[in-house]
Amino acid sequence: MHRLKWRLLNRAVVLIRARSYSIHPSIEKIRNIGVVAHIDAGKTTLTERLLFLSGELRRMGDVDSGSTVTDFLEVERERGITVQSAIVSLAWKEHRINLIDTPGHVDFGVEVQRCVRVLDGLLVVLDGSAGVQAQTLTVWRQAAKYTLPSLFLINKMDKPQADFTMSISSIEDKLGIKALPVVIPYSKENTLDGFIDLIEGRFLKLRGEKEEDWISVEPSTHEFHLLCEGRENLCLGLSDCDESFSSFFLDSHQGDTTKVSRDHITQALSRVSLSRSACAVASGSALRCASSVRPCLDLVCDLLPSPVKSSELVRKTIGNNFSGLLFKISHDKRRGRIGYTRVYSGELKGGSHVWNWTRGEKEGPIELFEAQSDSLDPIKSANEGSIVVVRGLEKSLTGDALISNDCDKNAVDDNGPASHIVFDGIDQPDPVFYCSIEPPDMKKRHALEKALKELVVEDPSLRVREDTESGQTILETMGELHVEIVKDRLVRGYGLNVFLGPLQVSYREVVQDTVEHTKSISDTVDGRTYSASVTLRIEPEEGLGKWKKLKFALPPGARIPRSNWQQGLREGIGSALYHGPLLSFPVYDVSVSLLDLTVSGGKVGANLVCAAAHKCIEEALTRCGVRLVEPVMELELTLPVDCPSQAVLHELTKRRATIETISGDTERESKIRATLPLSSLAGLSTAVRTLSRGLSHLHIRPIGHEILDGGEETRLINMRRARQ
């Protein structure tokens, strides 16, 4: 009850603050920023502090007590992790910052991926004792795809193991970008004493639990000498990256950092950040001292871009009409299905209709809301650059492009200059685990089906299918934690205490040889016999790992008299490839070509053509050397130096792991990098935790697939036959 009262009080303050600044600031004053990091680096704590510093919250929440604004699901508060991305808005120095707090766990990588798609910049948080970690690398690759500029915060500098120099080196070595420290820590007797802001010429002194504020550095003090040294390194680093600043600094000021103004440094930092030739790096301790992360708000406004450039590119294709991307769908208890949308051009008005360009559907009338985590405030309209919540998009899905219903649809060229910004969808990874799921009793089967449909719409990485052989409902997920979260949401949100079968690995099947095969099917209708004969060539697609499920080709110049026959061919081929001949897993990386189609007459239905194609593929697969392919994971394991590493290595080798590197990153710990099959992961975390006395840190991410060796493949096939 106390927690609820506290959150309601904070919410009241948010509503008052929201009315105090314009809902429609100029596009130059908008910043759409994502907070990303490896798990436990302090993203959510940082977000809470930024909201407090900007005046959005009256009191800061805490992850451990479950009182944060952005972690609003019960499971998030209990576990202390972020499962869903959450959007909050805050005002700072006449700017409007739309900030998305994203998950750090690999199982929820799709949440990060779809948010990165609509952002203009990133605030990357690092643990000061660990530097760049595995999930940081993953997010950095996603950011590189959209050339997002980034700002770094090295957090948790109050930890005894924190090492600012090591963290800076890890950014440059692992991410390949020059790091320019702009807020540096300083110590006294090997204890963190405070932080110095090199741009503003101010410092923050840490004094026990008392919250201090930033004050100007006075000449002839210890802090002044550190400021001069840090500024000199910053200006020299900027000179290496920015030719314009180099000329200004060396020619006009002869390298005297005391004469270089704040504006000149900020403008140069902005240029190198936008070009991704370098990145600004701040330091702080969000948990211990909220004021230490105040410079991050200034840096977001000064260095990271507004939506102006992306909006200008879109207007070249769409004009001044509305266009936007639906990047997230959720279900609100009061308002039903809602969609989070980035507005790229024009104005989106409440009560209007929009055109789903991806699906060719008209949607609306719509209602608009401003999101503040799980709270929604009604608004009348949203301008370009905004991120808003839209109600009334009943048919749209994640990744769909929306345009004005009055727009000339034929004028929108999907190959035009703005297509890569608006009209490309969001990549959705294939699940790697699956298990059966059953309702608590048969009376609740319909309720379970409805709940699963909603969860699949919300989470593109979650799949649900029916097993044609057993009749069971199969749940496909990204990992063990993903399964646990789905079950928790079904229990808490829908009152369904479901039963889950054992977690199993989603293998794939691939063909090895090229085969041509002919199959004829006949059927008698009203005393008349009809027949269809299909000749197909099935062959492996070049480049294992592209994972195109099917490439279907017609003979050069060939025409199929009836369009539904071609549809029947595709459906028959697709359904046959969905269940491979070895263990009924989907067949990937395959090309199918139609060599001949002969029918007894023009009245032959598509069903007969579909059946012939299905049987043809089924029989061809038995002749073309199908092999099983398993998901492979990359593992990064951090161990204390006094941990028995040989025992850990033995455990990994026993699980068919391939050790890539063993390195001592610091005097206190070592890192093991390895690859291993997903099927070997069961119980690994517990085993490693036991061997390391609970002091290890394990991160795992999917990296691809590999063909199983013959012995393991035979073992799996024999196990399946024994169960049958």
Side-chain angles (χ1 to χ4, degrees):
M1 182 61 70
H2 174 73
R3 182 190 298 169
L4 177 61
K5 288 181 179 178
W6 177 86
R7 285 176 61 80
L8 289 174
L9 177 62
N10 257 345
R11 180 64 194 139
V13 174
V14 169
L15 286 172
I16 294 171
R17 296 283 183 181
R19 302 297 181 262
S20 67
Y21 58 86
S22 173
I23 290 177
H24 297 306
S26 64
I27 189 171
E28 293 83 2
K29 297 291 186 180
I30 296 176
R31 299 291 184 270
N32 293 318
I33 306 302
V35 182
V36 298
H38 190 86
I39 192 169
D40 290 334
K43 299 183 311 302
T44 302
T45 299
L46 170 65
T47 303
E48 201 75 10
R49 274 46 180 172
L50 297 181
L51 288 170
F52 173 76
L53 291 169
S54 65
E56 294 296 331
L57 298 181
R58 182 174 179 178
R59 180 180 174 185
M60 293 178 290
D62 181 68
V63 173
D64 292 335
S65 63
S67 55
T68 59
V69 170
T70 52
D71 284 350
F72 54 85
L73 294 178
E74 286 297 324
V75 66
E76 292 179 314
R77 296 175 189 164
E78 289 178 2
R79 292 174 179 256
I81 61 171
T82 301
V83 171
Q84 288 189 340
S85 56
I87 301 174
V88 292
S89 296
L90 55 94
W92 188 257
K93 293 185 176 179
E94 300 181 348
H95 286 74
R96 175 67 173 277
I97 302 175
N98 297 317
L99 192 148
I100 303 182
D101 180 23
T102 63
H105 197 283
V106 66
D107 283 12
F108 311 108
V110 70
E111 279 286 323
V112 182
Q113 188 169 320
R114 60 183 174 179
C115 292
V116 167
R117 176 66 179 79
V118 297
L119 295 173
D120 298 310
L122 294 180
L123 176 53
V124 184
V125 185
L126 304 182
D127 184 330
S129 64
V132 173
Q133 295 172 276
Q135 184 66 4
T136 316
L137 284 165
T138 300
V139 175
W140 185 256
R141 295 187 192 103
Q142 293 171 336
K145 181 179 179 181
Y146 301 108
T147 61
L148 294 182
S150 300
L151 163 69
F152 283 76
L153 169 68
I154 301 178
N155 194 25
K156 301 187 177 184
M157 286 306 302
D158 56 321
K159 292 175 66 173
Q161 303 86 2
D163 188 333
F164 186 71
T165 303
M166 177 275 295
S167 298
I168 292 291
S169 297
S170 72
I171 293 173
E172 296 184 336
D173 295 342
K174 296 181 180 179
L175 303 183
I177 186 170
K178 186 173 182 59
L180 301 173
V182 295
V183 179
I184 61 173
Y186 68 99
S187 302
K188 185 177 182 181
E189 297 177 355
N190 295 323
T191 302
L192 181 67
D193 199 33
F195 301 94
I196 298 177
D197 187 338
L198 303 179
I199 299 177
E200 302 291 346
R202 58 187 180 178
F203 76 101
L204 174 71
K205 201 168 186 66
L206 300 181
R207 293 187 176 92
E209 298 298 323
K210 184 180 178 182
E211 188 78 16
E212 299 290 336
D213 205 353
W214 293 86
I215 56 177
S216 297
V217 175
E218 297 295 333
S220 302
T221 61
H222 175 60
E223 288 81 7
F224 181 76
H225 293 299
L226 293 174
L227 172 64
C228 292
E229 182 183 351
R231 259 204 167 212
E232 182 178 359
N233 292 332
L234 174 59
C235 290
L236 291 174
L238 278 172
S239 298
D240 292 338
C241 302
D242 187 79
E243 187 175 342
S244 174
F245 182 83
S246 177
S247 300
F248 164 80
F249 177 56
L250 297 176
D251 297 343
S252 303
H253 296 87
Q254 289 80 45
D256 186 353
T257 60
T258 61
K259 297 180 180 180
V260 181
S261 69
R262 172 200 179 279
D263 289 343
H264 279 111
I265 292 177
T266 301
Q267 291 167 10
L269 278 171
S270 178
R271 288 194 296 270
V272 298
S273 296
L274 295 180
S275 66
R276 284 174 60 92
S277 58
C279 61
V281 182
S283 61
S285 174
L287 181 61
R288 178 177 172 183
C289 180
S291 295
S292 68
V293 298
R294 183 187 297 272
C296 289
L297 290 169
D298 297 330
L299 293 169
V300 164
C301 297
D302 293 338
L303 307 187
L304 297 182
S306 71
V308 169
K309 184 177 179 180
S310 58
S311 293
E312 287 176 348
L313 286 171
V314 173
R315 283 199 297 270
K316 291 180 181 179
T317 295
I318 203 85
N320 292 321
N321 295 290
F322 158 72
S323 65
L325 182 69
L326 177 64
F327 67 94
K328 177 181 169 72
I329 293 175
S330 183
H331 291 85
D332 185 78
K333 290 184 178 179
R334 289 178 51 206
R335 297 181 173 90
R337 181 168 169 169
I338 54 176
Y340 292 77
T341 304
R342 161 75 187 265
V343 180
Y344 278 96
S345 64
E347 182 183 23
L348 180 60
K349 295 181 179 180
S352 65
H353 289 78
V354 297
W355 180 261
N356 186 317
W357 186 86
T358 305
R359 305 189 182 280
E361 298 273 0
K362 181 181 178 181
E363 293 270 43
I366 61 172
E367 297 177 60
L368 300 181
F369 302 90
E370 178 190 24
Q372 196 71 1
S373 189
D374 59 334
S375 299
L376 302 176
D377 303 327
I379 56 176
K380 293 182 179 180
S381 62
N383 291 339
E384 59 187 18
S386 302
I387 294 178
V388 294
V389 176
V390 184
R391 180 187 179 191
L393 305 176
E394 299 300 325
K395 300 175 184 176
S396 301
L397 297 175
T398 298
D400 285 357
L402 308 174
I403 61 175
S404 170
N405 190 54
D406 301 325
C407 181
D408 181 6
K409 284 79 177 180
N410 295 322
V412 182
D413 179 10
D414 60 349
N415 293 315
S419 61
H420 66 287
I421 295 177
V422 179
F423 302 120
D424 279 355
I426 296 172
D427 294 334
Q428 299 176 2
D430 287 329
V432 293
F433 277 113
Y434 72 95
C435 65
S436 61
I437 181 169
E438 299 292 341
D441 58 68
M442 295 308 295
K443 294 180 182 178
K444 295 187 176 180
R445 176 169 288 277
H446 179 70
L448 176 60
E449 291 176 355
K450 181 177 180 295
L452 289 175
K453 282 183 180 179
E454 289 189 359
L455 292 181
V456 167
V457 168
E458 291 184 16
D459 184 355
S461 64
L462 180 68
R463 312 277 174 84
V464 175
R465 62 179 172 86
E466 294 294 322
D467 189 299
T468 55
E469 294 182 4
S470 64
Q472 290 181 309
T473 301
I474 304 299
L475 190 68
E476 299 181 335
T477 69
M478 297 303 296
E480 295 175 276
L481 180 59
H482 196 187
V483 173
E484 293 175 16
I485 297 300
V486 169
K487 182 176 181 179
D488 187 273
R489 293 194 63 190
L490 288 170
V491 172
R492 295 179 194 262
Y494 298 91
L496 296 169
N497 192 16
V498 295
F499 300 102
L500 297 178
L503 206 60
Q504 301 181 64
V505 176
S506 290
Y507 292 93
R508 296 175 177 178
E509 301 185 21
V510 294
V511 301
Q512 301 291 291
D513 307 315
T514 299
V515 168
E516 294 181 6
H517 191 71
T518 301
K519 184 64 181 179
S520 299
I521 293 279
S522 60
D523 190 21
T524 301
V525 180
D526 296 331
R528 184 171 179 179
T529 300
Y530 297 90
S531 65
S533 178
V534 177
T535 301
L536 298 170
R537 180 173 62 241
I538 182 170
E539 55 190 324
E541 184 75 3
E542 286 236 3
L544 181 65
K546 291 183 179 178
W547 306 119
K548 296 177 181 178
K549 289 187 177 180
L550 168 64
K551 179 180 178 182
F552 177 62
L554 297 174
R559 290 185 68 255
I560 297 179
R562 294 177 59 177
S563 61
N564 64 336
W565 286 355
Q566 184 169 338
Q567 182 64 25
L569 284 169
R570 291 185 178 275
E571 289 179 359
I573 293 169
S575 63
L577 291 175
Y578 193 76
H579 296 284
L582 296 181
L583 294 178
S584 292
F585 288 106
V587 180
Y588 277 70
D589 273 4
V590 62
S591 174
V592 177
S593 303
L594 175 67
L595 302 183
D596 184 60
L597 171 62
T598 304
V599 297
S600 60
K603 293 184 178 181
V604 169
N607 289 341
L608 194 62
V609 175
C610 177
H614 183 98
K615 278 292 183 184
C616 184
I617 292 296
E618 269 191 342
E619 294 178 5
L621 287 174
T622 62
R623 300 170 45 204
C624 55
V626 177
R627 294 292 305 275
L628 274 181
V629 177
E630 64 180 343
V632 178
M633 314 298 285
E634 183 182 68
L635 172 149
E636 183 180 278
L637 178 62
T638 304
L639 299 169
V641 290
D642 58 345
C643 174
S645 58
Q646 289 301 320
V648 175
L649 290 171
H650 176 71
E651 180 69 27
L652 293 175
T653 305
K654 186 172 67 175
R655 294 170 178 268
R656 296 194 290 141
T658 301
I659 308 300
E660 303 288 344
T661 60
I662 303 175
S663 59
D665 283 11
T666 69
E667 295 179 356
R668 296 181 297 271
E669 62 185 29
S670 61
K671 287 188 177 180
I672 299 174
R673 288 184 175 84
T675 58
L676 77 167
L678 177 65
S679 57
S680 301
L681 283 182
L684 176 62
S685 179
T686 302
V688 170
R689 196 180 302 118
T690 301
L691 291 170
S692 64
R693 303 184 298 279
L695 300 176
S696 63
H697 184 81
L698 178 66
H699 179 80
I700 301 170
R701 71 179 185 92
I703 58 169
H705 292 73
E706 290 182 358
I707 295 178
L708 268 75
D709 63 76
E712 184 66 16
E713 181 178 275
T714 301
R715 185 184 68 82
L716 290 172
I717 294 173
N718 290 338
M719 285 176 58
R720 170 65 67 88
R721 289 173 180 170
R723 286 197 298 266
Q724 294 174 343

